[in-house]
Amino acid sequence: MKKLMTAAALAAGLGSPAIAGENDVTLQLQWVTQAQFAGYYVALDQGFYEAEGLDVTILPGGPDIAPPQVLAGGGADVMLNWMPSALAAREKGLPVVNIAQPFKTSGLMLTCWKDSGIESVADFPGKTIGVWFFGNEYPFLSWMSQEGISTDGGEDGVTVLKQGFNVDPLLQRQADCISTMTYNEYGQVLDAGVSPDELITFAYEDQGVATLEDGIYALEENLEDPEFVDKMVRFVRASMEGWKWAEANPEAAAGIVLDNDETGAQTEAAQIRMMGEIAKLTAGSNGALDPADYQRTVDTLLAGGSDPVISAAPEGAWTSVITDAALN
């Protein structure tokens, strides 16, 4: 999967992406417009980008949009990505660099039926587990490898169900567990009428295998341009101002997200709930990447047995140059 993803990115035109004007920034989100990205919409709505002299365009993502491909093809200046996906892409030839890390904590977890007999990770063998792919599978595969649990099925392993971006496999009993985010799919399960007492959850943070999510990435070659660096400094500074405003004003932030949802698919109640959970993940971050969090992510990804997510510790995969200038 990671080879396919990166091959697509390279085919999209890696090498000479066009850098926008010194005050224009295009941000590619990794999913559709929702409170997961509230900080950026708030910064746009509240004039934080404008105060930095920036004209920012936010591109929603979706199931058919691969942010690394968009970045490689020059369709965006920066993208949001989970670090496992970004590091896998970098190792395969797409030189993306983490320039800021607004999310301090992972929201990823498995949500399982209690009546499946699952009480701990030791009960996973023989069960069917829904997993997102397109780069989102890497943390799960690393976790299972560390636990010595095969992902090839059978009584001694887990059967991996390629999960769509919904909770149907759990509700329809096609899977014993599914991947959920604290701020999104878990709430969808509850909205379907399931009681929390019927469920057991396994947060990646609690299992010690959490990896960094929703970082801001740019292409390495662009970071050699002083004008681009200056633009990113201003972008990160305004974005973090947006995130702290969103944390302090969750309901208002949810409203701003709804105002920017051109699909009309989001609901006020769901976005307010999501913003409350997202605020827990951005809390404690000023946007600077914590080297310890980075190292934990790398160690988790390297601990993949015969098929690790990355084969060697990355070099040059993140920089503090942008946040050092933006936040000090």
Side-chain angles (χ1 to χ4, degrees), residues 117-203:
I118 294 176
E119 296 181 357
S120 70
V121 177
D123 299 316
F124 283 179
K127 301 298 192 293
T128 297
I129 298 179
V131 178
W132 295 312
F133 277 70
F134 300 103
N136 300 316
E137 74 274 25
Y138 300 143
F140 174 78
L141 297 177
S142 291
W143 179 17
M144 291 300 98
S145 179
Q146 291 185 50
E147 294 288 342
I149 299 175
S150 166
T151 55
D152 296 327
E155 294 183 0
D156 297 327
V158 298
T159 297
V160 176
L161 174 69
K162 189 174 181 180
Q163 182 181 332
F165 294 98
N166 57 58
V167 299
D168 292 346
L170 190 74
L171 299 179
Q172 298 172 4
R173 296 282 181 164
Q174 297 170 343
D176 302 290
C177 309
I178 60 170
S179 299
T180 60
M181 302 304 294
T182 56
Y183 52 82
N184 196 357
E185 290 79 14
Y186 182 72
Q188 293 177 22
V189 174
L190 300 184
D191 287 344
V194 178
S195 166
D197 294 337
E198 298 178 80
L199 304 169
I200 182 170
T201 60
F202 298 88

Side-chain angles (χ1 to χ4, degrees), residues 135-301:
N136 300 316
E137 74 274 25
Y138 300 143
F140 174 78
L141 297 177
S142 291
W143 179 17
M144 291 300 98
S145 179
Q146 291 185 50
E147 294 288 342
I149 299 175
S150 166
T151 55
D152 296 327
E155 294 183 0
D156 297 327
V158 298
T159 297
V160 176
L161 174 69
K162 189 174 181 180
Q163 182 181 332
F165 294 98
N166 57 58
V167 299
D168 292 346
L170 190 74
L171 299 179
Q172 298 172 4
R173 296 282 181 164
Q174 297 170 343
D176 302 290
C177 309
I178 60 170
S179 299
T180 60
M181 302 304 294
T182 56
Y183 52 82
N184 196 357
E185 290 79 14
Y186 182 72
Q188 293 177 22
V189 174
L190 300 184
D191 287 344
V194 178
S195 166
D197 294 337
E198 298 178 80
L199 304 169
I200 182 170
T201 60
F202 298 88
Y204 281 58
E205 285 281 352
D206 296 341
Q207 299 300 319
V209 292
T211 53
L212 287 169
E213 299 164 2
D214 289 60
I216 303 176
Y217 293 83
L219 288 177
E220 188 171 290
E221 64 184 63
N222 289 348
L223 295 172
E224 297 172 2
D225 181 341
E227 286 190 358
F228 183 82
V229 169
D230 174 71
K231 182 165 64 172
M232 289 299 99
V233 168
R234 291 180 283 146
F235 174 75
V236 167
R237 184 162 51 224
S239 296
M240 289 313 302
E241 189 175 359
W243 273 119
K244 296 310 155 182
W245 192 98
E247 286 179 22
N249 305 276
E251 291 194 12
I256 291 171
V257 170
L258 287 171
D259 290 342
N260 284 275
D261 174 29
E262 296 182 357
T263 68
Q266 308 295 0
T267 66
E268 182 178 21
Q271 291 308 299
I272 290 175
R273 177 175 63 194
M274 184 182 292
M275 187 60 237
E277 293 298 323
I278 287 292
K280 298 175 184 176
L281 307 184
T282 57
S285 173
N286 66 353
L289 174 63
D290 184 336
D293 293 341
Y294 169 80
Q295 193 59 50
R296 180 193 64 197
T297 296
V298 169
D299 292 344
T300 295
L301 299 181

